[in-house]
Structures are given as structure tokens and as C-alpha cells.
Amino acid sequence: MTMHSSVILDMQGIEKSFGPVKALRNVNLHVRKGEIHAICGENGAGKSTLMNILSGVYPHGSYGGRILFGGEERRFRNLRDSEHAGICIIHQELALAPMLSITENLFLGNEKSKGGLIDWTAAHDAARVLLDRVGLSEPPETLVGDLGVGKQQLIEIAKALAKDVKLMILDEPTASLNERDSDTLLNLMLELKAKGVTSIIISHKLNEISRVADAITVIRDGSTVDVMRYAVDEVSEARIVKAMVNRELADRYPRREPKLGETMFEIRNWRVIDPSHHDREAIRSVNLKVRRGEVVGISGLMGAGRTELALSVFGRLFGRHIGGTVHLNGREIDTSTVAKSIGHGLAYVTEDRKGAGLVLGDSIARNIALANLKAVSSFGFMIDDHSVLDVARDFREKLRIRSHDVLQKVANLSGGNQQKVVLSKWLFTDPEVLILDEPTRGIDVGAKYEIYSIVNDAVAAGKCVLMISSELPELLGTCDRIYVMNEGRFVGEFTAAEATQERIMGAIMTNQALVN
């Protein structure tokens, strides 16, 4: 990859504290003009804090150290200051207004005006130019809420380009994207690099980093621990991982000797009508079996129906006119409500931990107790705070949740530790069947390993696990068997010995061609 001699960004000796907690200590970051610079580190390492300092979210005076951008020392007081200098940050949670059009989103706060009024003709024309730059052909009048997540990411990039961006920061840009949309976004980053746009990418997906990055800075425990440049250094995933977690992860997935029992969980002839399109079957005659002690994966492209299947089974949270039966240990069970599902031993760990899995403003202890309040109540209705704390402390120790104490708000935890709280909440219900929907999305390799270990412990204890994941290496590394889903139905099934990325994608694409 091309080396660039001029440094556009130089962050020197950055330090930041939140009360007694030191989040950053002497962090240095040097980004060259026209390169793609990756920042890696475990959740909680300080990556987002560093970017919030750079973008003015944490104003000058609230941190130590110096920021030089374009050769000048900068003292950003807010986000507007950094954007005025040409720095734009695109967060993992997109900052778009879904009920406004593409044009309105692109120029929100930066409207095209003439004579004090918005010049819609000029705005739409400018929007078309920007959309063309990011490879979108949608009419500028299209509501952003009508677009998929992948296209919304491209709108965010177009929005940055509208502000004459010189340095673009992308925080986990592909975390919510399928493989096709991820490819589109990464290709766009390379195209913008060729046109002189400098980018910083924060990502846990090491294969994506190796594909686009010119350099990597690794942050651990609030400090810079390694800097690698592809043109001059030996860069490998093993080196990156070791720098991130300060230990070798020779095997990314903990070893497990499967001890499979009889069929424990079964879905028969499951059919679901899409609640938004009454003439469309979202799930079509799905049959599924999971044995005691088995981890079974469900693979498929985004929109294949994987989450819809899980939600329709767990309390019928999705769909209408649901048909078919659910069986546990050979007996048909009623899962028509969440309470009944939990009562029969089902647990569902949502893919949206922040929006649906946790009460972010509440404590670790209260979040863990939420799905099984009966177990921490006296006389059936009075919650025993001491019991809540005892249970939370037990799970904090067993799952190694990193926090000051169990009274800490979950909003202040890293993504990996938030996920452990969600898992603790459901493990506290002592489930027979654990349904995991994207269980490691947006968390680092060290925390992933710990999540996989928790899964292994669950099946070793005689439970069964159904894992939905968009990451094929994750399914291949953890599952005993994998179902492949497309267009609401299963189109393939492979044992661990049979499964490969090529076979899984082949099943998806072959059957997609048949469906289309």
C-alpha cells in the first residue's frame, strides 16, 4: 500500500479521566494524509473516548495533551468546531432522521438557501452529485427510513462529503451490515482514499482491516501499545490480537468435546405471515432440531428470516397467523407469550442489546434480575434487594463482568461486558434452550472468546444452544451443525465436518437463484 510522508493528524500524549477512572493515558496517534488508518482495541480500551476528543465531543480543557491537524494545533470546543476544520465522525448508531428525505438529511443544519429560503432545486441537484459519489441511485426525495442499513451508512458518508471532509472517522461501520453491503462500503473507502480522503476506521473485523488499512494503531487499557504499517512491518492477525489482549489467542475459539444427547428442542412445519405484508410468508415450513449438549447455528444473508424465526418462536414477538408446533424433550409446548416461553425454559438473547436487551440507565444488578424477578422476590411481589445483589455478584464473578461493582449502570460498560450482563439475565432463568441472536456483534476478539466459553459451559451443563450469526467463521468455529436460511426457509444443513464458507454461501446463492 502507498506510503504518505505528510501527517494530517498528530495526537500527542492524550490523557482523559472520568472521576477517579483514567480512560486514556499518554495515547499517541499519527495519521498520514490520504491513508486509511485502523484503530484496534478491546471494548473499553479507549478508542471511542479518543475519537470523541478528536471530534470535539469532549472539549479542549477536559483532557490533557495536544491535537495537531493540518499542521496547526486545534482546540475544538464542540462537534461544529471539528466539522468546520474538516473532521467528520460517523458513529455506529447512525445519526439520521428517518422521516426526512435524503436531501434533508444531507444538508440538515447546512441548508442550501437563497433569499432566506431553502433552495430545493439546488439542494436536490447537490444531493444527486453526492449520491453518485457514494454509488447510490435513489431519488433525493426518498425518505431515509425507507432505505436499508447499508444504504443509510452510505448516506452518512455522503453527508460527510457534503461538509468538505478532510478526515473521516468510521466507528464500527460494518457491524450491522451484511457481507454484500460491507463490501460496498469498504470499496467506497478505497475509492475515496484514491481521491485524497483520509479515513480512520475503528473495527473488530480483522479481515476487513487487512483489506483496506495502510496502518494500524492498537490501544490497550487506555494506552498506545503498537503501531503497524503494512508497507514496512510484518502485520498479522496474531500480532494484532496479541497487542489487543496482551496474550496469544492461538485458537480463536475455545475447544469443546461435544457430548450430544437426544433431541431436546424441535420446531415442526413452522410458518409465519409477515405482519407488514399480509400476502407474504416470512417463514416457510421450517423444521429444526437441536440435541441436548449441541450448538446449532443458523446462517444466511441479512433479511433471510433468521431473527424473524427466533422472535416468532419466542413469545410470538414477530408475525401473524403462525402455524406449526414447538417441542421440548418430546412434548409439545405453548410459546405464544414471552412468559410462557420463559416458563418452558426458552431464553432469547436479542441482537439489539442496547435497544431491547438492557435497561441502560439501570444497574448491572437490576438488569440481571429482570427476566426472573420471582426468584428474588419475597411473598411473590416484594423484590429482595439483598438477593438481587447476591445473584448479580455471583454472575459478575462467574462471567467475569468488568465493572466497579454491580450497582454500576450498564450504559457505562463496554459492549462485551454489556453482552455478558444480557447473558447473565437469561442464564439466571436457568433455561433449557438458549437462543443467541448475533451474540458477539460489535465486541472485540478477547470478549468474543469469553462469550464462546460461556456457550460451551451452557451445553456442557446439558442445555442446548441455537446461534444466529452473520459471521461465518464464528459459526464454523463454535457450532456442531449449521442450518442455512434463505427467503424464510432452510436451504441447507451441514455438520461441523461438512461445513465450509464456500458450501454455506453456495447453498445460499444456488437457492437464491431458484427463488428469484
Side-chain angles (χ1 to χ4, degrees):
M1 295 188 181
T2 307
M3 289 288 287
H4 300 271
S5 56
S6 57
V7 174
I8 188 172
L9 173 68
D10 192 4
M11 300 183 77
Q12 304 173 351
I14 303 297
E15 302 197 341
K16 172 71 177 171
S17 296
F18 297 96
V21 179
K22 196 141 193 174
L24 297 176
R25 43 175 72 83
N26 195 32
V27 172
N28 297 289
L29 176 66
H30 312 289
V31 179
R32 295 176 179 176
K33 188 173 182 179
E35 75 176 1
I36 298 175
H37 196 111
I39 299 180
C40 296
E42 291 187 277
N43 285 104
K47 307 182 300 294
S48 295
T49 301
L50 184 67
M51 292 301 99
N52 283 333
I53 287 172
L54 175 57
S55 58
V57 173
Y58 298 138
H60 181 265
S62 68
Y63 61 88
R66 300 171 70 220
I67 298 174
L68 281 80
F69 183 67
E72 299 177 30
E73 184 169 356
R74 306 285 183 156
R75 300 179 176 182
F76 301 133
R77 297 164 298 173
N78 49 45
L79 200 60
R80 185 174 287 274
D81 276 1
S82 66
E83 287 185 351
H84 185 71
I87 298 172
C88 288
I89 184 167
I90 299 171
H91 293 283
Q92 188 175 343
E93 289 83 17
L94 301 179
L96 296 172
M99 298 308 294
L100 296 182
S101 69
I102 293 174
T103 298
E104 288 168 318
N105 271 277
L106 288 178
F107 301 110
L108 194 61
N110 188 30
E111 288 78 9
K112 302 280 183 184
S113 61
K114 183 195 294 182
L117 299 173
I118 295 176
D119 185 343
W120 288 111
T121 301
H124 288 321
D125 288 346
R128 288 188 187 93
V129 172
L130 290 165
L131 291 175
D132 186 59
R133 285 190 69 184
V134 298
L136 287 176
S137 57
E138 274 69 18
E141 300 85 1
T142 304
L143 292 182
V144 162
D146 292 338
L147 302 174
V149 179
K151 290 183 177 179
Q152 289 186 20
Q153 277 279 18
L154 299 181
I155 296 296
E156 281 277 28
I157 293 175
K159 191 174 175 181
L161 296 176
K163 297 171 182 174
D164 193 24
V165 63
K166 295 181 178 66
L167 174 64
M168 186 165 57
I169 305 163
L170 299 101
D171 190 356
E172 295 287 352
T174 66
S176 300
L177 303 187
N178 60 32
E179 202 164 329
R180 190 178 306 164
D181 288 341
S182 295
D183 280 343
T184 300
L185 188 140
L186 295 172
N187 287 336
L188 177 59
M189 288 184 67
L190 291 170
E191 289 171 18
L192 292 174
K193 170 192 162 185
K195 295 173 182 175
V197 176
T198 308
S199 297
I200 292 175
I201 180 172
I202 299 173
S203 178
H204 293 119
K205 298 183 179 180
L206 302 185
N207 60 321
E208 294 182 354
I209 287 172
S210 63
R211 176 177 160 186
V212 300
D214 298 284
I216 301 170
T217 293
V218 181
I219 298 175
R220 185 178 70 240
D221 296 332
S223 300
T224 305
V225 293
D226 202 356
V227 179
M228 307 165 223
R229 293 195 171 274
Y230 279 93
V232 295
D233 297 318
E234 284 191 25
V235 183
S236 66
E237 287 195 4
R239 176 177 169 181
I240 298 168
V241 169
K242 185 177 182 182
M244 285 171 61
V245 302
N246 196 26
R247 63 182 182 275
E248 299 280 1
L249 280 184
D251 193 344
R252 205 75 64 79
Y253 305 97
R255 297 190 181 280
R256 174 172 59 89
E257 289 295 329
K259 295 180 180 177
L260 307 184
E262 71 286 352
T263 296
M264 184 175 183
F265 180 63
E266 187 175 1
I267 301 168
R268 297 179 187 169
N269 196 30
W270 198 253
R271 309 174 79 97
V272 180
I273 300 297
D274 191 319
S276 302
H277 304 279
H278 298 175
D279 58 344
R280 175 180 174 269
E281 270 192 316
I283 307 298
R284 300 188 283 164
S285 300
V286 163
N287 293 283
L288 173 148
K289 291 182 179 181
V290 190
R291 297 165 69 181
R292 187 177 297 277
E294 187 177 31
V295 181
V296 170
I298 303 181
S299 177
L301 301 176
M302 192 170 288
R306 299 166 303 166
T307 295
E308 290 79 0
L309 172 62
L311 289 173
S312 65
V313 170
F314 185 77
R316 304 202 173 187
L317 292 172
F318 172 86
R320 61 199 299 269
H321 300 309
I322 296 173
T325 56
V326 181
H327 301 258
L328 186 65
N329 296 319
R331 183 172 59 88
E332 185 177 340
I333 59 173
D334 178 4
T335 62
S336 59
T337 68
V338 170
K340 288 178 180 178
S341 298
I342 294 172
H344 285 300
L346 271 62
Y348 172 65
V349 176
T350 174
E351 64 178 336
D352 181 11
R353 62 175 171 265
K354 290 186 177 180
L358 296 166
V359 181
L360 293 174
D362 217 336
S363 68
I364 294 169
R366 290 175 67 88
N367 270 276
I368 289 175
L370 274 178
N372 193 12
L373 290 173
K374 189 184 296 185
V376 290
S377 299
S378 303
F379 310 111
F381 64 91
M382 291 179 60
I383 294 176
D384 183 343
D385 290 334
H386 292 295
S387 295
V388 171
L389 292 174
D390 287 343
V391 167
R393 287 174 183 134
D394 184 42
F395 276 104
R396 178 177 178 241
E397 183 178 342
K398 284 195 296 190
L399 271 65
R400 294 188 290 278
I401 300 170
R402 296 181 185 88
S403 64
H404 305 316
D405 55 48
V406 295
L407 296 176
Q408 184 175 341
K409 288 184 179 180
V410 293
N412 298 328
L413 298 178
S414 68
N417 286 301
Q418 286 180 350
Q419 192 69 355
K420 289 180 188 177
V421 174
V422 179
L423 280 166
S424 298
K425 178 179 77 172
W426 288 111
L427 290 173
F428 182 43
T429 67
D430 193 24
E432 295 278 294
V433 182
L434 191 57
I435 305 171
L436 306 175
D437 197 348
E438 303 288 1
T440 65
R441 172 174 286 168
I443 64 178
D444 59 76
V445 288
K448 282 183 178 183
Y449 190 93
E450 293 179 336
I451 298 296
Y452 303 143
S453 297
I454 293 166
V455 171
N456 287 356
D457 290 343
V459 291
K463 305 179 189 305
C464 67
V465 172
L466 189 62
M467 182 186 291
I468 298 166
S469 177
S470 298
E471 295 188 32
L472 289 182
E474 177 169 81
L475 293 177
L476 295 169
T478 59
C479 295
D480 302 300
R481 194 159 43 89
I482 299 171
Y483 287 103
V484 184
M485 196 169 196
N486 187 52
E487 298 284 340
R489 62 196 178 101
F490 286 162
V491 296
E493 180 183 349
F494 302 98
T495 64
E498 299 167 337
T500 64
Q501 293 199 45
E502 291 75 18
R503 282 184 170 179
I504 290 171
M505 287 308 298
I508 292 171
M509 301 314 294
T510 301
N511 285 276
Q512 191 172 51
L514 291 173
V515 170
N516 293 339

